[in-house]
Amino acid sequence: MKSLKVGLCGTGNVGSAVLDALTKNPEITQKQGGVQLEVILVGARKGKSAVRNKELKVVTDLRQAASSDDIDVFVELIGGCELAKELVEIALRNGKDVVTANKALIATHGDELFKLAKENKVQIGFEASVAGGTPVIKALREGLVASRVQWFAGILNGTTNFILSEMSENNTNFDVALKEAQDLGLAETDPTMDIDGTDAAQKASILAALAFQVPFEFDSVSYGGIDQVDLEDLNYAKELGYSIKHIAYGNLNEGKVNVSAYPTLVSKELLLSQVGQQMNALDICCEEIGSTVYYGPGAGPKPTASAVIADLVDLANGGWPAQESGSQVNKISKKIIKPFPRYFRLEVKNEAGAIAKISSIFAEENISIEALIQHEAKKLKESLQDTVPVVIISGSVDEEVTSRLISSLESMDEINSQVKQFRIHNAL
Ligand code: HSE
């Protein structure tokens, strides 16, 4: 039977789950993968107290762990960028394959690291960096290798999907839902990365590199977070036949690639709209076959550990086909050119002619109004009676025209606060 000697750094939730799985149930990968995975050493600055299994050899010098002659593969699970990058580079230079769950590392330094791996004739596995236990990297670089990706749309952050689902289904307050997500071990150490969209944007840039053969270039991803979504928006969306999800989107058009991640209304007719709780899902649309959708857990210790171990099995079986990511076949364009239908919410003075003025501003920009909701003011809270919320669903409009439209609306005397805007994903 093939075997692999493993050294691992990072003994948090995910690292501990990997160690538990490899030491308590080694027969799973033996029977199902034909591979024996042996943990040779664990790097932990705190020493033995950091690991549950006291029989494991622990070294406190992480650099020593990454370069040890006793291991074939180095598993990086410490997170963050600086030290993680240094350790991965040490391992690669010492001829070790690397497996990592670190999306920030791959999204920011992927090209450099893959170049170094190639020079040292070793490989890097990063299945766990996107969608955890749901094998979307494998789908992109193996299952869909014969097809050309046109676009992908995905729910790639479990924490924010959990929060939006709880708010929408149970009227749960944002802070309570976030605390529950943290208790489930879904959130990042600093949950700002989940909430402001950084985590999903990093994952989107990894998917784009594989899907469109562009560099790993997190800096070129435009993104926003779910902190912009109010319960009111979730309720209006529901009324209009949509749910609001945080959607990472990538598309290729005439050699130009756009990658972005924003709260987005998703038509109830689409599978993505039904993805609740902490689940992830990715719809990949290819020229040859249309859409394929991948659904499953994308966060939490066990799903992430499952992806890390699957990479170890793949490595023992020879690794992955050479990939052209980073080869710059296509280019990332920071200017988002794809037009989307959009949702607008405005707080409008309740007086004659206000809606007529709003619709004339849409008409001036040649944007069609597809739906409009304004509830009678008497149904609303007393304090708001001099203004009413108006929600508009527009036809497709690009970013530039949207910004212009919003500036014109916000300069109207009849509009009282900032105009809220989300994209709509309704491709079938
Ligand atoms: N914080 C991430 C999430 C963990 O909630 O999806 C997996 O990357």
Side-chain angles (χ1 to χ4, degrees):
M1 185 179 300
K2 290 169 205 155
S3 69
L4 212 55
K5 295 190 171 68
V6 178
L8 178 148
C9 277
T11 50
N13 286 339
V14 175
S16 300
V18 172
L19 291 174
D20 282 351
L22 291 181
T23 52
K24 289 184 186 159
N25 302 308
E27 71 287 352
I28 297 180
T29 56
Q30 290 167 13
K31 281 191 200 141
Q32 296 178 183
V35 170
Q36 191 171 358
L37 299 171
E38 193 187 350
V39 182
I40 300 294
L41 58 86
V42 178
R45 276 173 291 199
K46 286 186 191 151
K48 279 266 179 206
S49 64
V51 293
R52 294 200 268 252
N53 183 338
K54 300 299 172 203
E55 284 169 17
L56 289 169
K57 179 181 171 188
V58 177
V59 295
T60 51
D61 180 346
L62 305 190
R63 293 166 185 85
Q64 186 196 332
S67 61
S68 167
D69 287 339
D70 300 335
I71 64 170
D72 303 312
V73 55
F74 175 66
V75 179
E76 182 282 305
L77 298 172
I78 61 167
C81 260
E82 218 167 296
L83 179 58
K85 179 169 181 264
E86 188 191 337
L87 295 178
V88 166
E89 284 171 344
I90 291 174
L92 295 173
R93 287 203 180 93
N94 279 276
K96 319 287 170 206
D97 291 310
V98 167
V99 172
T100 180
N102 193 330
K103 59 242 155 186
L105 180 69
I106 299 294
T108 318
H109 302 291
D111 291 330
E112 241 179 290
L113 295 174
F114 284 102
K115 186 166 171 274
L116 186 60
K118 200 171 174 185
E119 283 163 14
N120 287 281
K121 299 187 173 49
V122 287
Q123 298 200 62
I124 304 174
F126 54 104
E127 183 65 62
S129 65
V130 184
T134 310
V136 295
I137 304 270
K138 205 168 180 62
L140 269 174
R141 65 175 171 180
E142 295 178 47
L144 297 174
V145 74
S147 302
R148 281 163 295 184
V149 179
Q150 293 174 309
W151 55 261
F152 65 78
I155 296 168
L156 302 179
N157 183 275
T159 303
T160 50
N161 204 44
F162 183 86
I163 294 172
L164 290 176
S165 301
E166 281 294 306
M167 284 172 72
S168 169
E169 286 157 27
N170 305 320
N171 272 346
T172 310
N173 161 297
F174 181 97
D175 293 329
V176 173
L178 171 59
K179 172 78 175 52
E180 277 181 52
Q182 287 175 305
D183 291 345
L184 287 167
L186 306 173
E188 297 302 298
T189 322
D190 174 4
T192 316
M193 306 272 279
D194 297 299
I195 306 306
D196 72 6
T198 307
D199 177 88
Q202 287 169 339
K203 292 167 179 169
S205 79
I206 295 174
L207 294 180
L210 298 172
F212 307 122
Q213 295 81 50
V214 289
F216 290 93
E217 206 176 273
F218 171 57
D219 283 351
S220 299
V221 183
S222 70
Y223 63 95
I226 63 158
D227 38 1
Q228 303 161 25
V229 182
D230 296 329
L231 196 52
E232 218 177 334
D233 298 310
L234 291 160
N235 289 333
Y236 277 117
K238 223 184 270 181
E239 191 176 339
L240 288 156
Y242 297 91
S243 53
I244 301 184
K245 300 287 174 191
H246 193 268
I247 298 287
Y249 196 86
N251 76 299
L252 169 66
N253 195 8
E254 292 173 4
K256 292 242 170 63
V257 174
N258 283 156
V259 194
S260 54
Y262 286 104
T264 304
L265 273 74
V266 183
S267 163
K268 285 265 192 262
E269 286 154 37
L270 298 181
L271 282 174
L272 287 187
S273 166
Q274 310 302 324
V275 175
Q277 299 301 302
Q278 66 265 50
M279 289 305 188
N280 280 199
L282 178 65
D283 185 348
I284 306 175
C285 184
C286 298
E287 209 171 311
E288 291 79 3
I289 53 174
S291 270
T292 55
V293 182
Y294 308 83
Y295 165 88
K302 284 190 178 173
T304 313
S306 159
V308 167
I309 295 169
D311 271 352
L312 292 171
V313 171
D314 273 356
L315 273 173
N317 283 318
W320 304 278
Q323 65 202 42
E324 291 300 311
S325 52
S327 64
Q328 311 202 9
V329 173
N330 296 307
K331 289 217 167 355
I332 296 196
S333 165
K334 286 191 185 181
K335 187 177 171 213
I336 306 266
I337 25 197
K338 185 183 157 47
F340 285 90
R342 295 184 193 256
Y343 162 101
F344 297 86
R345 177 158 67 84
L346 344 159
E347 201 62 45
V348 181
K349 278 190 192 155
N350 195 7
E351 57 190 38
I355 294 290
K357 280 196 192 162
I358 291 169
S359 68
S360 71
I361 289 180
F362 275 73
E364 273 162 29
E365 290 289 357
N366 200 22
I367 303 168
S368 93
I369 292 178
E370 301 290 323
L372 186 148
I373 299 181
Q374 182 199 319
H375 293 302
E376 218 178 330
K378 71 181 180 194
K379 290 184 189 154
L380 305 167
K381 280 187 218 146
E382 209 166 308
S383 60
L384 290 175
Q385 285 211 355
D386 52 342
T387 67
V388 279
V390 171
V391 167
I392 293 172
I393 300 290
S394 78
S396 287
V397 46
D398 67 21
E399 302 282 329
E400 203 175 316
V401 177
T402 303
S403 309
R404 219 163 48 218
L405 175 82
I406 291 177
S407 307
S408 307
L409 290 169
E410 285 178 349
S411 65
M412 276 176 61
D413 289 341
E414 291 80 357
I415 291 190
N416 252 17
S417 58
Q418 280 193 329
V419 172
K420 195 164 263 198
Q421 177 275 134
F422 299 123
R423 296 167 169 184
I424 298 179
H425 175 60
N426 61 8
L428 290 169

